Every structure is written in structure tokens, then in C-alpha cells.
Amino acid sequence: MAINKEFWDNRVRKYGHTGWKDYDIYAYDQCARLKAIEKIIDSLDCQREFALDFGTGVGDFANLLAQTFNKVYAFDISQEVLNVAKKKYGHIKNINFIDGNSITDVKLEDKSLDIILSITVLDHILDDNELSKTIGWFGEKISDRGYIVILEYALPSKMLKSDYQRYWLFDEWLSLFSDFDFHLIQQYGFNHPKFSPCKSYSIYNKSWQTKFFRLICRYFGHIKSTESHLDDFAERILREYSDFLWKGRSSDILKIMIYQKS
């Protein structure tokens, strides 16, 4: 896990977050992800006691969970990433930030978690044994009626390669979770800004506001105030559209998958 930790340490130092490196993409994408996950979580019939945000990054999804769950464990392997998360959300009393080399080292009661959320994290665990241990740990800690919600690349066919990400097929995710007695109960397709952009992203991407932001960055670098304006613009666009999330299709590049124990 040391290589992964170094990767995320460097990424948060350089960009201030762990998402898309291009902030014009990140502003829309992070807002859309949060809206999609909020909608999905609201639809789930589960207890609202304990939640885990696995690979919490800068804490946005832990904050989302904290609005409806009594206690949220926000885990990340990078202390530098967690430092950013604590600056943003350390004042929220029902979030417990936890760092460590592996989630399997975290001591929680079996069957105690009502939901486990993992947003583009599992795909970055390149060691097969560590990935299997992680899903096995999920299986021990999830409650009888609990859910695992993940957002990952789930490709219809092999088309991408990377030295820091698996880019698995959808069937490979199904097989992995099936090995630990999880079954898929629902899947959704999600916007990919490069391979399958939805209409609202295209509108956002072609707008004068986004083009102006790119121009400012080209000549002056990233300025926090301009990033905030772009965040606000993405939020306004996404108040009008919900086309970034749809019923899952075989052709989807990105999928939100919901699993339960068999």
C-alpha cells in the first residue's frame, strides 16, 4: 500500500483534492457524484446508525453521510489527504477520521455497519490479496440488511491500461463480490466527462464560464476564488439537470453498484 499512499499524498499536495486533476472537470464531477450518491442513499431501506466512507479523500462523502447517519467512519491511507478532510469537516462531531495502511487493521464490531461507501477507491487497490482482504472485511462488518455502494469503472470490454488503476470489467466486479457472498441488487450508469459525457456536462463544458476559467488558469494558474466561482456554476447547472445518473446499461463506462449479502 506504500505506493498508493505516496500517489495520493502527491496528488493532494498538487491539486488540493483526490479527484480529476483538471479542476474544470472536478468541479462538475464532484458535485454530480455527491448528488447521485445522496439520491441513492435516500432510496435505501436501512438503519441509519453506522456508516463507513472507505477512502474518504477530502471528506465530502463522509460529510454527506453524516447528515443522515449517527456516526461515520472516514478512512483513508493518506494522512495528508485526511489533514485536508479535517480542515473542511473536522468540526462535524459525528465523523471519526481514521488513517491506516489497511482497512482490515481497523477494529469495528462485526455486522455493525449499515452502509459502506467506496467512491473510485477499490479500483486503485492493485494487490489482489489486499483487495480480497478488503472485500472480506466488508463482509464481516456489514449488517444483515446493510448495503455496499461503490462507484467504479466497470467496463463492457477491456480498453484502458494504467499502472495505478485496474479498470476492471463489470463482470469482474460481479465475480469478486460473489466470491464473498454479495449479490448486486441495483446498478446505475454515471456520467464520464471524456468517454460518455451527458448533456448537462456538455453544456457546462462549453459555457463561457468554464472557458474563462481555463483561460485564467493558463495565464495565472489556479486561483481559489475562480475555483469557487466554478463550483457555484456547476451547482447551478446540476440544479437544473439530473441526467448524470441513469438506469445501468451494458455499455456504461462508470457504474454505481449496490451490493448486499446473499
Side-chain angles (χ1 to χ4, degrees), residues 6-201:
E6 183 180 356
F7 176 86
W8 297 116
D9 287 348
N10 291 334
R11 197 170 186 87
V12 80
R13 288 189 203 115
K14 188 171 183 179
Y15 303 116
H17 58 80
T18 57
W20 287 90
K21 64 180 181 179
D22 299 316
Y23 199 88
D24 54 305
I25 298 178
Y26 176 76
Y28 174 96
D29 188 66
Q30 188 74 346
C31 186
R33 289 182 182 193
L34 286 163
K35 288 181 179 295
I37 295 301
E38 181 178 25
K39 181 178 180 179
I40 288 168
I41 289 174
D42 286 347
S43 73
L44 298 178
D45 179 21
C46 67
Q47 296 295 315
R48 304 279 164 160
E49 288 297 320
F50 300 104
L52 168 68
D53 183 19
F54 174 68
T56 192
V58 296
D60 292 342
F61 292 94
N63 176 55
L64 176 65
L65 291 168
Q67 295 172 26
T68 53
F69 286 83
N70 289 334
K71 187 164 187 177
V72 177
Y73 300 100
F75 174 85
D76 207 283
I77 62 171
S78 169
Q79 183 61 60
E80 293 207 32
V81 170
L82 282 182
N83 287 340
V84 176
K86 289 175 183 177
K87 285 181 181 178
K88 294 181 71 174
Y89 303 115
H91 62 286
I92 299 178
K93 301 304 181 183
N94 60 329
I95 301 179
N96 182 14
F97 293 100
I98 304 170
D99 72 289
N101 291 325
S102 172
I103 189 64
T104 58
D105 296 329
V106 176
K107 305 301 181 184
L108 295 179
E109 291 186 16
D110 288 353
K111 297 187 176 183
S112 62
L113 295 173
D114 300 304
I115 194 166
I116 296 173
L117 182 64
S118 177
I119 305 300
T120 61
V121 180
L122 293 172
D123 208 27
H124 290 284
I125 302 177
L126 302 183
D127 183 85
D128 290 342
N129 184 54
E130 181 65 24
L131 182 59
S132 293
K133 285 169 57 180
T134 297
I135 305 302
W137 187 91
F138 288 174
E140 293 172 359
K141 306 308 176 185
I142 200 73
S143 64
D144 290 336
R145 294 179 56 204
Y147 298 90
I148 295 178
V149 180
I150 71 171
L151 168 60
E152 294 291 356
Y153 282 88
L155 305 174
S157 60
K158 287 291 186 184
M159 56 186 293
L160 298 170
K161 291 185 179 180
S162 171
D163 58 358
Y164 72 97
Q165 195 165 1
R166 287 177 179 268
Y167 294 115
W168 262 11
L169 300 175
F170 177 50
D171 287 344
E172 289 177 308
W173 287 115
L174 293 179
S175 177
L176 173 65
F177 276 91
S178 176
D179 288 344
F180 293 92
D181 297 324
F182 286 102
H183 67 281
L184 183 75
I185 64 166
Q186 186 59 273
Q187 59 159 312
Y188 299 88
F190 187 76
N191 172 73
H192 191 292
K194 293 186 176 180
F195 295 122
S196 55
C198 59
K199 179 181 178 181
S200 61
Y201 178 77

